[in-house]
């Protein structure tokens, strides 16, 4: 099983991510196609690129989040997410910017707060209005 991202070819925004055929399983690939990326993109009329749900910030991770011994499986820097973008020059997926004012980290291709979380903050919450970290008590409600 492999995952594929459908990408708007004008804006390079990721519009969908599907589970599809393993990229090495070419037995069922229809005639005239050289890859599942090509096939899925053609039948859906969009650019299609394979993505790995175990790839984050350029690292391949095990199911438990630990670093994998097989880093060659890390592809396209991040797992594609709807609303994120594909950079064809880097051949990489850039995470969606969920928080206004956060800045793209050029190495991880993910967005980060413009200031680091202060030491000692156990439950940090970013205040987008004042652009500062606040230390919030844990939510103890059920």
């Amino acid at each position: 099983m492999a995952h594929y991202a459908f990408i708007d070819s004008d804006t390079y925004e990721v519009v969908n991510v599907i589970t599809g055929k393993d990229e090495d399983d070419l037995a069922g690939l229809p005639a005239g196609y050289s890859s599942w990326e090509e096939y899925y993109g053609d039948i859906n009329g969009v650019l299609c690129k394979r993505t790995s749900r175990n790839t984050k910030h350029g690292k391949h991770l095990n199911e438990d989040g630990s670093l994998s011994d097989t880093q060659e499986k890390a592809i396209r820097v991040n797992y594609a997410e709807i609303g994120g973008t594909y950079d064809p020059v880097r051949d990489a997926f850039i995470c969606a910017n969920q928080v206004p004012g956060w800045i793209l980290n050029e190495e991880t291709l993910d967005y980060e707060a413009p200031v680091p979380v202060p030491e000692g903050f156990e439950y940090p919450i970013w205040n987008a209005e004042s652009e500062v970290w606040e230390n919030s008590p844990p939510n103890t409600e059920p």
Side-chain angles (χ1 to χ4, degrees):
M1 155 177 45
H3 296 89
Y4 297 88
F6 294 160
I7 303 157
D8 180 297
S9 36
D10 292 326
T11 64
Y12 292 104
E13 181 178 349
V14 175
V15 295
N16 198 9
V17 180
I18 65 161
T19 301
K21 290 282 201 171
D22 185 59
E23 63 276 8
D24 297 326
D25 179 9
L26 302 178
L29 188 64
Y33 293 99
S34 61
S35 70
W36 287 108
E37 283 180 344
E38 182 185 5
Y39 172 74
Y40 289 132
D42 188 46
I43 66 169
N44 289 286
V46 294
L47 178 62
C48 178
K49 294 290 180 181
R50 190 170 64 88
T51 186
S52 169
R53 65 185 177 95
N54 293 345
T55 299
K56 183 171 182 164
H57 301 160
K59 307 286 185 202
H60 188 265
L61 307 174
N62 295 314
E63 292 297 325
D64 66 1
S66 62
L67 195 61
S68 167
D69 292 335
T70 54
Q71 287 304 302
E72 66 274 2
K73 291 184 179 180
I75 61 166
R76 299 194 168 103
V77 184
N78 291 301
Y79 179 63
E81 57 186 41
I82 295 171
T85 54
Y86 172 71
D87 182 332
V89 174
R90 296 177 183 157
D91 188 27
F93 289 106
I94 300 173
C95 298
N97 186 1
Q98 304 290 330
V99 185
W102 283 29
I103 301 164
L104 181 65
N105 177 317
E106 294 291 334
E107 185 177 321
T108 65
L109 299 183
D110 200 353
Y111 286 86
E112 300 174 347
V115 294
V117 177
E119 282 191 44
F121 274 39
E122 200 169 345
Y123 304 99
I125 294 179
W126 178 252
N127 183 324
E129 191 172 301
S130 60
E131 296 188 343
V132 296
W133 287 104
E134 296 175 353
N135 196 19
S136 174
N139 183 356
T140 56
E141 294 181 24

